Amino acid sequence: MKIIQITDNHLGAPDERIGGLSPINRLEKCVEDINSSHSDAAFCVFTGDITDAGKPEAYQAFAKILDTMTPPKFLLVGNHDHREQMCSVFPELDRDENGFIQGYLRRDEGDFLFLDTLDPGYHWGRYCEPRRRWLSNRLKEAGDRPVYLFMHHPPFDVGLPSLDILGLQDKEAFADILSCHKNIRHLFFGHVHRPIAGSWLGIPFTTMKGTNHAVAFDFSAPGYVPYSHESPTYAVILIDHSRVLVHFHDYLDQSKIVINDDGDRVFALTGKKI
Ligand SMILES: [Fe+2]
């Protein structure tokens, strides 16, 4: 099974630049790359901050780009999004009984849960008691089936002070729920605009750069979030019974494929040294 993760697109109005870059242009190139190389993906997940300020025209621009995309899509809200504006453009989005944009997909490979961590008016995230109840019920229903979690905010500190103050505010309560279930196979999130992998509570996790600006690799506490223009990324996730693989692709990178002086590739496909 192949899945695509895309995150932190930060779209504005058409022609609007965010962080000195064109988010619409960079997302269009991302979708072109996916359509040409990964149209066989089972689905594509956007892990939040689809827009930079939750404006209707930004969601409309996003919808226009999505129309050109081959695989089915799942959309999550981030702190830069606006729940109602997003649902007005995408009325088909799954919402739970309390109106949060949360849903799930059951496949042979396991249950894929898409969480809503938005706390309107704040850049940090929130996972309140009604949302925790929804998650707890989904995990109980999953039983022994593998579970894959997708969310915008990291539910733990990632070691970057400028972002750690903007993480999930209900970390302990969230951790308590996950600790009761031993079937979570991988956690995917956005928000930090940097490539990070590791494990938390024994759960493997990955996050990555967005399609617009990145956050600078800065372990000091600058008192603001430092943006950078590093190459944008999307992830290709491969899942089977024994593996979860996450490949990060910097789709605008123009690096040459290395060949030797005779024009042959350095490694022959036989594995034999040449
Ligand atoms: Fe973001």
Side-chain angles (χ1 to χ4, degrees), residues 1 22 26 29 39 71 76 89 114 119 134 162 185 188:
M1 181 187 204
S22 168
R26 285 160 83 91
K29 288 193 161 48
S39 61
L76 276 62
V89 176
F114 309 109
D119 189 7
W134 180 92
S162 64
R185 203 168 179 212
F188 303 88

Side-chain angles (χ1 to χ4, degrees), residues 202-274:
I203 302 167
F205 73 82
T206 44
T207 186
M208 59 183 182
K209 291 177 286 184
T211 56
N212 197 56
H213 52 280
V215 167
F217 188 58
D218 185 349
F219 283 81
S220 70
Y224 56 91
V225 180
Y227 287 4
S228 81
H229 286 192
E230 291 164 71
S231 187
T233 298
Y234 68 80
V236 177
I237 301 155
L238 302 174
I239 295 175
D240 67 20
H241 69 282
S242 65
R243 298 174 300 173
V244 176
L245 304 173
V246 184
H247 293 265
F248 299 106
H249 180 42
D250 289 2
Y251 59 92
L252 292 185
D253 187 272
Q254 296 292 310
S255 302
K256 287 181 181 172
I257 294 174
V258 177
I259 55 175
N260 68 18
D261 292 341
D262 298 325
D264 295 324
R265 287 179 187 273
V266 172
F267 291 102
L269 289 176
T270 58
K272 191 176 174 187
K273 283 185 180 176
I274 55 174

Side-chain angles (χ1 to χ4, degrees), residues 8 10 49 193:
D8 293 271
H10 286 262
D49 280 2
H193 295 231

